[in-house]
Amino acid sequence: MTRTETYRCTVERDDEGRVIALNVHATDLEGGERAVRVNGYRALHVAAGLHEILRDARLRGQDWTSGQPLTVDPQLGAHAELLLRAVKPLQRLDRITTVATGVAAMSREEAAYWHAQVTRRNGLRALRLLLAESSKR
């Protein structure tokens, strides 16, 4: 039996169906839990990137809009967690959009590398700087 991290993603919507919050909840191999939540205007601008990442999970439209937690495989979950962690502290809309687009466009291998790097000191900062520089080209 192989043990892996488990990931659940949740999309919260208001009464009119607009995205108001995005959540990724992870349980690691030792049973430790971590969660990342992005809400407000950030959630609106990150939802398309998260949907692009989760599209590989073969989700139906009903799954995306139901508000129920979506259990995804560890690679997709780590990619989704990286996306939310990367944009969470940002304030400027242009930076949020640039970082979200860059993370969503990463290959699974690249996202796995950066997911491991963001646990290190200045890992998220390095990722944001890299994405900002690549968007200027």
Side-chain angles (χ1 to χ4, degrees):
M1 181 169 117
T2 305
R3 293 181 356 171
T4 61
E5 290 186 322
T6 58
Y7 289 88
R8 290 185 315 278
C9 300
T10 308
V11 179
E12 295 177 25
R13 297 177 181 274
D14 65 9
D15 293 336
E16 284 127 27
R18 290 184 298 249
V19 174
I20 57 172
L22 302 168
N23 302 290
V24 173
H25 184 270
T27 305
D28 63 24
L29 299 177
E30 289 80 35
E33 297 186 0
R34 61 187 184 274
V36 182
R37 177 183 173 90
V38 172
N39 54 9
Y41 70 96
R42 286 182 198 88
L44 289 172
H45 296 285
V46 175
L50 182 62
H51 190 253
E52 185 177 321
I53 291 168
L54 296 179
R55 195 174 328 186
D56 288 343
R58 305 279 187 244
L59 300 174
R60 300 178 316 220
Q62 182 180 10
D63 295 334
W64 177 255
T65 59
S66 72
Q68 298 298 317
L70 308 167
T71 302
V72 295
D73 70 62
Q75 273 190 322
L76 294 176
H79 200 161
E81 182 181 23
L82 175 65
L83 173 66
L84 297 189
R85 288 184 73 189
V87 300
K88 185 171 177 70
L90 300 177
Q91 299 292 320
R92 290 182 21 206
L93 187 57
D94 60 326
R95 297 272 327 265
I96 292 168
T97 304
T98 300
V99 170
T101 302
V103 172
M106 287 181 179
S107 68
R108 299 293 169 240
E109 294 81 15
E110 187 178 11
Y113 169 80
W114 281 106
H115 185 262
Q117 292 301 313
V118 299
T119 60
R120 295 183 172 181
R121 183 176 178 179
N122 295 323
L124 278 173
R125 184 170 181 258
L127 172 63
R128 289 188 206 109
L129 287 172
L130 174 74
L131 293 173
E133 287 299 316
S134 66
S135 72
K136 292 179 183 178
R137 295 178 192 156

